[in-house]
Amino acid sequence: MPPSHCPHCGTAAPEGARFCMKCGREQPTAAGAADPVPPALPPMAPQPGHAPRPAPPGYAPPPGHAPVRPSPAGEFLGRAMRGDWAGSLKAAAWPTGLILALAVALAIPSYGQGDEIVVGWSDRLRIALAMLLQAFGGGFELRAAGPGSPYGSGSDGSGGSDAFGAGYGTAGQAGATLSLVPLTVTVLWVGALLLASRAARRQGGGMEAAVRISALVTGAILVLGLFAQPDIAGVSVSSTPLLAALGALVLSLLVTGGVLQQDAAAQWLAQHPVAHAVVRATGTAVRALGAVIALCALIGFIAYADVDGVDGTAMLLALPVLPNIGLAVLGVSWGAPVEYDVRGEFGWFGSGMEHGGFGLTELGDAVNGWAVTGAVLTGVVCALYAGVSAARRSVDRREQVIAGGLFLVLYLLLTGLSGVSAELSGDVAGVGGQGMAEIAPSIPDALLFGLLWVGGAVLVAPHLLRLVRRPARPVAPAPAWGPGTRPQPPAWNPAPQTPPSTVPTATPQPTPYPPYDPQTVHLGPTAAATAAATTARRRSVVVWSVTLVAAVVLGGGLTAGVLFLRNDESDNRQPPAAAAEDNKPATSGSSDSAPPEAGPTPSPTASPATSATTPPAAPTVPGGYRMVSDSAGFSFAVPVRWDRESEKNHQITYAGSTGRAELKVGVIRNAPYTSYENFQNLERTADANQRNYRRLQLGANTFQGLQGAIWEYTYEDRQSGETIHAIDQSYIAEDGTEYAIYTTERDRYWSDARQIFDTALSTWMLNDLD
């Protein structure tokens, strides 16, 4: 190929040169400008029956296509995350600051520690926080640090405390649990959250703000729950922070979402009348229940402050549970008692097997009849207020019934949350015992009497309102004037006159009034209507007054009737000795019955009553034993070298100077349960706490002709790893006192311990020293 020439100066240039060597200009051939460009081919039309080719990799969509958008949930969360966190933080500071302020107030008193402060202010603050977080579902649990805990020691050195000599306090770590919902804290926290949500609503916050506020509030509760877990002198406190945070999350979402979505909810409710009626009825029920609980809480707090021994610290501790006290007062006023149930052995209560209730009957015995009258009047006022509120704020009878039903449902729900229960296992912080205690209003009774009182109030309230506030009279229609008697219009009338041709002709109506006679004094239709209305009103007053009195008498009468029947059943209940005679189990064919050596068997010719009431003959004391007469009212034989060692929590211990074997006798006055029921309750705790627990026998039997039970079992000692053998014979004497004779020993020495136990049973007798 010949060399190319520069088109600008004509100088020959080597092949492939990009610039001219003389003039320095770019050569067209090198830049590609001089090469002929082939014409673009027209696009080929797709042939019939052939699919278009797929787009090559890296193909970009045309400019008109929209990008893929996230899901609605993703968009919502994105808006929530990108929102005003500063404003949400200010809103979340309201309820969080309230909890901190209450905890600081509760931590200020030293609670009787004196000059020697064991629990400092910071520890008291953390304990107060743990107690307050129960308002959202948190827990309060105390756990000893282990065998090295400085608090107490059982007979085996494990730090446990035996209940009735059962020995199950030795099996595992000592601990205590308290379950209580301080409703005052819950109400105040919800109120602070309402105020914060309304402030956020005024600033234009929506559901995204509700999510942010709820997240911040939940995080604050979680942090406070983690902080409220101190370790004090070998005792650790747990507040269950995850449960408290979960409860706070649910409550905050409901409250903030309801407030911030109020406008949207109102538009939706306007299109759904039934839902709107339910929402209105719910608001009515909440307002009425709040007012009723406030009144009853005030009455209960005044009565509590009047009790002897209640000081300022005790009154301060009662403030977080004021609604709980109000619900108890309301239940008692309506006839539902507050029941208490104590099972096991508690250092606080001493004797630990009790069950009962405090209602109108007990109130009259503790105070006087005027207290019962005041309680019933309080119940009447509360019921009528609930019914009147439902009648005034409801548009029809259906909504009124819904409001009354929701009032009852909310009352039962809060009543179920208002109780307090405690569970104790071993010795914790110097308080020993094993078992559980519960104080709570009776839910079945609250349902029964709540139906009576609320139902009667909903029935009577509309008629009571008609008596107190009568509706306005309807305006009577204007009289129809006859022809020739219609008054003439005034001389000047600025209104345009209708042409005569367009004035409609009305058919003359007969006048409802008699012709006017100037010689006659007319009382007129108004006086007649007034007289008739007065007569009807008097009749209405009589009818609805009778209805009101009947409703109150019906509610109070049914309440009194139910209480009378219950008291009558309690009075006619057989004593334990008689019940043992009627319900004596058969001794043959029962695997759970006591072995023959558990006690002397009555002779076939002697009746149960004879064997129960006839004092036994003087027992024969075998060699190596001696009879002891205890001041608790019993006598039995023990080995010669054994003595009375201690008496603690209604348990008397006899033991020798060496060895592990011992005899314990539990004495419980007026035991409300049978011995078999007591052993069943205790076994559930022992099975859960003891290592390798194994039942050998558990069943009802008769001991000296009286109702009793025997329980024998083994378990593994946590310190030594040895198998411990235990047996317990319990029965209820004629005076209602329960005696439990119990022994425990290592399994390898069980034969000697069983002989000591059998000798104690065969020589057992009551000496009536007490």
Side-chain angles (χ1 to χ4, degrees):
M1 178 180 295
S4 60
H5 294 270
C6 176
H8 304 287
C9 62
T11 305
E15 182 182 1
R18 184 174 181 181
F19 300 97
C20 178
M21 299 177 64
K22 184 178 181 180
C23 65
R25 296 183 180 181
E26 188 177 4
Q27 303 299 308
T29 304
D35 293 341
V37 179
L41 298 176
M44 183 179 294
Q47 300 296 329
H50 291 272
R53 287 186 177 184
Y59 173 78
H65 275 253
V68 178
R69 300 185 60 182
S71 63
E75 290 184 351
F76 174 78
L77 291 178
R79 292 195 304 270
M81 294 298 105
R82 293 189 301 268
D84 182 16
W85 283 96
S88 301
L89 183 61
K90 292 179 181 179
W94 290 45
T96 306
L98 172 69
I99 295 297
L100 287 174
L102 292 176
V104 169
L106 290 175
I108 290 176
S110 60
Y111 299 98
Q113 296 186 82
D115 297 333
E116 187 176 348
I117 303 297
V118 178
V119 183
W121 183 85
S122 60
D123 291 330
R124 294 199 301 271
L125 175 65
R126 300 170 75 178
I127 293 174
L129 282 173
M131 296 287 291
L132 293 177
L133 292 184
Q134 292 185 101
F136 318 111
F140 186 82
E141 185 176 2
L142 302 176
R143 284 291 175 190
S149 174
Y151 299 109
S153 61
S155 59
D156 58 352
S158 63
S161 175
D162 299 332
F164 298 101
Y168 50 77
T170 65
Q173 191 178 30
T177 303
L178 177 66
S179 297
L180 171 66
V181 180
L183 293 177
T184 301
V185 182
T186 307
V187 172
L188 293 178
W189 188 83
V190 170
L193 197 57
L194 276 172
L195 295 177
S197 302
R198 289 181 178 178
R201 180 169 174 262
R202 287 193 297 267
Q203 296 176 1
M207 197 62 193
E208 297 85 356
V211 172
R212 291 192 298 271
I213 296 173
S214 300
L216 291 172
V217 167
T218 303
I221 294 298
L222 181 60
V223 171
L224 292 178
L226 294 174
F227 174 73
Q229 300 190 104
D231 291 330
I232 307 171
V235 177
S236 61
V237 180
S238 175
S239 60
T240 319
L242 291 179
L243 290 179
L246 180 60
L249 175 62
V250 173
L251 278 177
S252 58
L253 282 176
L254 291 176
V255 174
T256 56
V259 173
L260 296 176
Q261 292 294 307
Q262 185 175 359
D263 297 336
Q267 295 178 2
W268 184 85
L269 291 174
Q271 301 174 0
H272 300 79
V274 177
H276 196 190
V278 173
V279 171
R280 284 198 309 266
T282 303
T284 300
V286 169
R287 289 184 177 91
L289 185 60
V292 166
I293 293 178
L295 173 63
C296 294
L298 178 61
I299 295 174
F301 186 74
I302 294 174
Y304 174 72
D306 191 50
V307 176
D308 295 336
V310 175
D311 55 0
T313 302
M315 295 177 65
L316 176 65
L317 293 177
L319 293 179
V321 292
L322 277 181
N324 307 59
I325 297 174
L327 288 166
V329 171
L330 180 60
V332 172
S333 300
W334 282 353
V338 177
E339 295 183 343
Y340 59 90
D341 191 0
V342 181
R343 303 177 184 178
E345 190 72 15
F346 287 86
W348 288 325
F349 304 106
S351 173
M353 293 301 298
E354 296 183 8
H355 176 79
F358 185 86
L360 291 175
T361 304
E362 291 76 14
L363 180 63
D365 296 338
V367 187
N368 50 42
W370 287 107
V372 177
T373 303
V376 173
L377 288 178
T378 301
V380 172
V381 170
C382 293
L384 286 180
Y385 182 82
V388 169
S389 299
R392 291 184 60 186
R393 301 179 61 89
S394 301
V395 297
D396 54 13
R397 189 68 172 174
R398 179 184 61 180
E399 185 176 334
Q400 180 185 355
V401 174
I402 294 175
L406 290 174
F407 178 93
L408 180 60
V409 170
L410 293 175
Y411 161 67
L412 294 175
L413 178 62
L414 294 179
T415 300
L417 296 175
S418 64
V420 56
S421 64
E423 188 173 351
L424 186 62
S425 175
D427 287 352
V428 180
V431 179
Q434 180 77 30
M436 60 87 63
E438 182 178 5
I439 302 175
S442 175
I443 301 299
D445 291 327
L447 174 60
L448 171 62
F449 294 114
L451 282 173
L452 294 176
W453 286 102
V454 177
V458 170
L459 176 66
V460 171
H463 311 306
L464 182 62
L465 282 180
R466 292 196 186 106
L467 297 178
V468 177
R469 189 188 60 186
R470 295 183 298 274
R473 297 180 185 174
V475 180
W481 297 95
T485 61
R486 184 172 182 174
Q488 297 295 327
W492 177 78
N493 188 3
Q497 299 295 328
T498 305
S501 60
T502 61
V503 175
T505 58
T507 305
Q509 299 293 334
T511 176
Y513 301 103
Y516 177 74
D517 185 359
Q519 303 299 326
T520 305
V521 178
H522 291 273
L523 294 177
T526 303
T530 302
T534 302
T535 304
R537 186 166 59 254
R538 290 175 180 173
R539 187 182 300 111
S540 177
V541 169
V542 173
V543 171
W544 297 123
S545 298
V546 172
T547 304
L548 176 61
V549 173
V552 174
V553 171
L554 178 63
L558 289 176
T559 303
V562 173
L563 295 176
F564 175 78
L565 291 177
R566 290 184 178 179
N567 294 335
D568 186 64
E569 291 176 1
S570 300
D571 295 339
N572 295 332
R573 188 175 299 166
Q574 292 179 333
E581 298 172 10
D582 296 338
N583 302 323
K584 184 189 298 181
T587 57
S588 61
S590 175
S591 60
D592 292 333
S593 61
E597 63 271 20
T601 304
S603 62
T605 58
S607 63
T610 303
S611 62
T613 57
T614 302
T620 302
V621 181
Y625 290 82
R626 66 183 181 91
M627 286 292 294
V628 293
S629 181
D630 197 275
S631 59
F634 61 86
S635 301
F636 66 142
V638 299
V640 175
R641 297 182 180 272
W642 282 25
D643 292 313
R644 192 181 197 267
E645 287 196 343
S646 63
E647 180 177 358
K648 180 182 179 181
N649 295 334
H650 299 269
Q651 297 180 25
I652 299 99
T653 302
Y654 284 85
S657 58
T658 60
R660 191 184 189 281
E662 60 184 5
L663 278 171
K664 287 189 175 183
V665 179
V667 181
I668 301 300
R669 308 293 179 185
N670 301 320
Y673 299 113
T674 65
S675 299
Y676 181 63
E677 293 172 343
N678 180 25
F679 282 164
Q680 284 181 317
N681 295 329
L682 296 179
E683 187 190 35
R684 285 193 287 268
T685 306
D687 190 18
N689 295 335
Q690 289 180 344
R691 177 183 295 176
N692 295 331
Y693 168 83
R694 185 168 68 93
R695 180 209 290 185
L696 300 181
Q697 62 171 326
L698 174 60
N701 66 354
T702 55
F703 180 75
Q704 296 185 356
L706 298 175
Q707 184 182 17
I710 190 167
W711 180 24
E712 185 177 2
Y713 60 93
T714 61
Y715 66 94
E716 181 181 340
D717 184 72
R718 292 181 180 271
Q719 292 184 345
S720 63
E722 288 190 273
T723 300
I724 306 300
H725 202 135
I727 189 170
D728 197 344
Q729 171 66 55
S730 176
Y731 80 103
I732 298 179
E734 293 180 342
D735 61 352
T737 302
E738 183 182 33
Y739 295 92
I741 305 99
Y742 161 81
T743 190
T744 178
E745 178 58 287
R746 288 165 289 188
D747 192 56
R748 52 180 173 170
Y749 303 128
W750 179 244
S751 58
D752 296 337
R754 181 58 190 259
Q755 182 180 0
I756 296 174
F757 178 74
D758 293 339
T759 303
L761 293 186
S762 62
T763 58
W764 175 271
M765 60 185 303
L766 300 181
N767 51 22
D768 296 331
L769 290 180
D770 56 343

